[in-house]
Amino acid sequence: MGHVNIMRLVAPLLVVAILVSGLVVLDYTVPADIKRDEHRGLTTRYYRDYFEPAIRIRVPGTSSRAITISRVYFWALNGSLIDLGRYRSVGGVIKIPKGKIVEVYGEVAEYVKREGLDPDSVGLGLVILNSIHMEDGVYTNIIMPPLRIGLASKPEVSIEVTSSQKSIKIRGIEDVRKDVASSLGVEPEKVVVELASETAFTRFINLLNTGRVEEYCYYTGGPNYGRVICYEWRLDKTYGSFSNVDIPLAMAIAQWPDKFGYFDLSAVLIASEQAGISIGIAPTFAIGSYGSVSYEIPGLSWTAYSQQSANFNLGAGFRPYRDFNSPSILYVGFKGNATIGLFKEYLCVYPDLGTPTCSYLGVDANATIARPFKLNLDNSIGVIGAAPLPNTEHYLVKTYQILKDNNWFGSWKYVGPGNVRINSTIISAELNTIPLLSGSIAIGAIIFALLKATPPAWAIALLCISIGATVQRVSQQFMFIQVVFDVNDGKLVAYRYINSPYFYKYQDGSYKIGGVYVETW
């Protein structure tokens, strides 16, 4: 009888324990979002995860057997690209532990707090270069999610990133065989390449044969049985960078001052958490080998989520022979930082012992990235200026020349006397592009101008990147960049604006970059 009574007491407790356990599991399996950000096909959600905090990336078209090698880089406050490590994932979800990410974002969070900003009002992009090994070959997928600084710095917060950016196939399986044969100095027909299988048995066999588990992607047979290989990205170098330099948002090149009554330049970039409007800077990447290059915008290098981090509203009027006396470049913009990173993909063959032998394959991923000088964009870092065109040493004069020489301006339009307006809204409609890509900033061209160098062929597509609202449509109260000029009586003027010579893949489509850099003649 005592036994029955005890069971009557214990049974309800067991039921409660099971229910509570179920709730805990449910909370972990379907965690509630702390925050969720949408950027046209690039979704980032933050949730508490005390079990295994990580960044988890969902890439479309990845098979359940895929093995991905991810290289992760962070653009630090000192301007360097910091290597946060190499990570291996299996299946359709790429997983990167939070450890080093917490460390670097934590340092930035402290800086942002000292500047009086909410760390979660600003997002900084993490450069993630993925080599995806599948049954039919190797694909690359590069993503740059803008992680909110405060949430990224918390150890207990996991981040899930879903991207609609499609992967690029860079090596078919026959190409892999040839790469391996060339690396090992044998005939291609003697090499068998098979995607490594992720089972307990194969992990054990691989460990016995190679002494390694964590690196393998393809398993090679034939005379090289037991060798394991992986394709992986590595930073080669930063080509150039700058800090605290004037970056024009609206620019007018006035070749004949006597034709004009005035120029008015203005720029508005305001983020609003309540309205769901964020302002971002979209980096440009050129991915591939010579003759086969894909131009992409894989995410955002900097994002403002609230008015505290983006509240920019600046304008200026210029009158000929009062504000400038000769052909000049007139501009309104902000102080900013930028860099160009050069990444290379390698085939690495892992021996039984020692370090791997890695061979460069001729596949590159070069990127131009930028952000405001203070991490928040407001009038305190706004700039207004005029650079006389005869001054060939001024970097903005060289910037203009680089853009013109490399066909970054569109076709000419002709107008007679009267008022002419060119703005981001008009450009977005005329080029059928999105607001994010209708505010060009000539970051790459400025870097080459400061270096006093001619841009090489691989850099032509990286001369401009964009700044703008990350939504499909935006009111002019949040984003509006404009150049207005008045043509004097009896005068005829030709003008044109930034119209990229390339289309760029961004999440769900391909778009041109347009910008309110207006050349007049």
Side-chain angles (χ1 to χ4, degrees), residues 63-342:
S63 76
S64 60
R65 288 193 62 207
I67 295 174
T68 300
I69 300 297
S70 302
R71 296 298 299 229
V72 182
Y73 294 90
F74 178 70
W75 187 28
L77 293 180
N78 64 9
S80 62
L81 282 164
I82 301 174
D83 186 352
L84 298 186
R86 171 191 185 276
Y87 304 95
R88 179 179 178 277
S89 307
V90 179
V93 178
I94 297 166
K95 188 171 72 173
I96 299 165
K98 278 290 294 293
K100 292 183 179 179
I101 292 162
V102 169
E103 181 181 334
V104 294
Y105 277 86
E107 292 177 2
V108 179
E110 292 304 314
Y111 165 79
V112 169
K113 289 175 186 174
R114 290 195 297 270
E115 293 292 311
L117 290 174
D118 174 5
D120 283 330
S121 71
V122 183
L124 290 184
L126 195 65
V127 184
I128 305 172
L129 303 103
N130 300 303
S131 298
I132 304 171
H133 305 72
M134 295 209 282
E135 293 90 337
D136 64 335
V138 183
Y139 294 74
T140 198
N141 186 288
I142 298 175
I143 186 169
M144 198 170 185
L147 305 183
R148 291 183 185 248
I149 296 170
L151 289 171
S153 68
K154 289 181 167 57
E156 75 279 8
V157 173
S158 271
I159 304 169
E160 182 180 276
V161 179
T162 303
S163 171
S164 60
Q165 196 100 342
K166 293 181 179 177
S167 302
I168 306 167
K169 190 173 186 177
I170 58 169
R171 283 289 191 274
I173 202 67
E174 286 303 310
D175 299 317
V176 173
R177 278 165 34 93
K178 292 175 184 177
D179 290 343
V180 173
S182 174
S183 176
L184 297 176
V186 298
E187 296 297 321
E189 57 269 18
K190 294 182 179 179
V191 175
V192 176
V193 175
E194 183 181 352
L195 183 64
S197 178
E198 184 75 355
T199 67
F201 177 74
T202 54
R203 286 170 68 87
F204 175 69
I205 293 299
N206 188 70
L207 182 61
L208 289 179
N209 283 320
T210 68
R212 299 175 183 273
V213 170
E214 72 280 3
E215 284 97 355
Y216 75 113
C217 303
Y218 287 120
Y219 205 51
T220 64
N224 310 296
Y225 184 79
R227 294 294 182 96
V228 293
I229 65 167
C230 286
Y231 290 76
E232 54 192 72
W233 288 99
R234 294 181 182 179
L235 175 67
D236 183 58
K237 62 180 178 179
T238 52
Y239 186 87
S241 61
F242 64 72
S243 177
N244 197 20
V245 168
D246 290 8
I247 300 174
L249 284 164
M251 185 166 78
I253 299 98
Q255 296 282 6
W256 299 95
D258 63 309
K259 289 187 175 185
F260 301 97
Y262 63 84
F263 284 85
D264 278 341
L265 281 66
S266 59
V268 175
L269 291 164
I270 298 173
S272 170
E273 191 98 43
Q274 292 74 22
I277 304 293
S278 56
I279 301 296
I281 293 180
T284 52
F285 279 65
I287 307 165
S289 56
Y290 182 76
S292 178
V293 181
S294 177
Y295 305 115
E296 299 199 1
I297 296 166
L300 300 163
S301 58
W302 168 88
T303 306
Y305 291 103
S306 74
Q307 191 167 345
Q308 186 187 41
S309 50
N311 187 18
F312 188 88
N313 188 346
L314 190 63
F318 299 86
R319 291 189 177 275
Y321 308 111
R322 185 194 73 182
D323 302 304
F324 63 103
N325 298 314
S326 62
S328 296
I329 293 175
L330 318 172
Y331 65 93
V332 166
F334 65 95
K335 294 282 188 183
N337 302 347
T339 192
I340 294 179
L342 277 61

Side-chain angles (χ1 to χ4, degrees), residues 5-63:
N5 289 336
I6 291 172
M7 288 304 298
R8 284 177 178 171
L9 291 172
V10 171
L13 295 176
L14 289 173
V15 171
V16 171
I18 290 168
L19 289 173
V20 170
S21 174
L23 289 173
V24 171
V25 171
L26 180 63
D27 182 58
Y28 175 64
T29 307
V30 189
D33 292 354
I34 300 173
K35 188 70 71 173
R36 186 185 186 96
D37 298 318
E38 300 274 357
H39 302 293
R40 277 189 66 91
L42 179 63
T43 302
T44 308
R45 57 181 289 258
Y46 304 84
Y47 57 94
R48 286 186 177 85
D49 181 354
Y50 296 100
F51 293 90
E52 193 181 10
I55 295 178
R56 295 175 175 87
I57 302 167
R58 300 184 183 276
V59 176
T62 304
S63 76

Side-chain angles (χ1 to χ4, degrees), residues 233-488:
W233 288 99
R234 294 181 182 179
L235 175 67
D236 183 58
K237 62 180 178 179
T238 52
Y239 186 87
S241 61
F242 64 72
S243 177
N244 197 20
V245 168
D246 290 8
I247 300 174
L249 284 164
M251 185 166 78
I253 299 98
Q255 296 282 6
W256 299 95
D258 63 309
K259 289 187 175 185
F260 301 97
Y262 63 84
F263 284 85
D264 278 341
L265 281 66
S266 59
V268 175
L269 291 164
I270 298 173
S272 170
E273 191 98 43
Q274 292 74 22
I277 304 293
S278 56
I279 301 296
I281 293 180
T284 52
F285 279 65
I287 307 165
S289 56
Y290 182 76
S292 178
V293 181
S294 177
Y295 305 115
E296 299 199 1
I297 296 166
L300 300 163
S301 58
W302 168 88
T303 306
Y305 291 103
S306 74
Q307 191 167 345
Q308 186 187 41
S309 50
N311 187 18
F312 188 88
N313 188 346
L314 190 63
F318 299 86
R319 291 189 177 275
Y321 308 111
R322 185 194 73 182
D323 302 304
F324 63 103
N325 298 314
S326 62
S328 296
I329 293 175
L330 318 172
Y331 65 93
V332 166
F334 65 95
K335 294 282 188 183
N337 302 347
T339 192
I340 294 179
L342 277 61
F343 303 89
K344 296 182 182 296
E345 187 159 49
Y346 293 84
L347 167 66
C348 294
V349 180
Y350 289 84
D352 292 351
L353 298 171
T355 57
T357 302
C358 297
S359 308
Y360 169 57
L361 300 173
V363 179
D364 301 322
N366 302 322
T368 303
I369 55 180
R371 63 186 175 221
F373 174 62
K374 284 176 33 180
L375 295 189
N376 62 310
L377 180 62
D378 58 25
N379 286 12
S380 69
I381 58 169
V383 291
I384 297 169
L389 278 170
N391 180 9
T392 55
E393 291 305 308
H394 195 289
Y395 75 92
L396 284 181
V397 175
K398 290 181 177 292
T399 297
Y400 157 60
Q401 193 64 48
I402 287 170
L403 293 174
K404 188 167 71 169
D405 291 347
N406 289 285
N407 302 312
W408 268 84
F409 285 95
S411 56
W412 291 102
K413 298 183 180 184
Y414 298 88
V415 291
N419 184 276
V420 180
R421 297 171 181 270
I422 307 98
N423 57 55
S424 51
T425 304
I426 292 171
I427 290 172
S428 183
E430 289 186 350
L431 299 185
N432 193 27
T433 192
I434 54 179
L436 177 63
L437 304 185
S438 60
S440 173
I441 46 179
I443 299 301
I446 290 173
I447 286 176
F448 285 103
L450 292 170
L451 293 172
K452 299 182 178 180
T454 300
W458 58 261
I460 304 305
L462 307 179
L463 295 181
C464 284
I465 66 175
S466 290
I467 186 170
T470 67
V471 293
Q472 177 65 32
R473 292 180 179 83
V474 62
S475 165
Q476 292 182 357
Q477 74 181 89
F478 297 109
M479 177 188 173
F480 191 64
I481 306 169
Q482 180 168 262
V483 167
V484 180
F485 57 84
D486 184 65
V487 181
N488 289 332

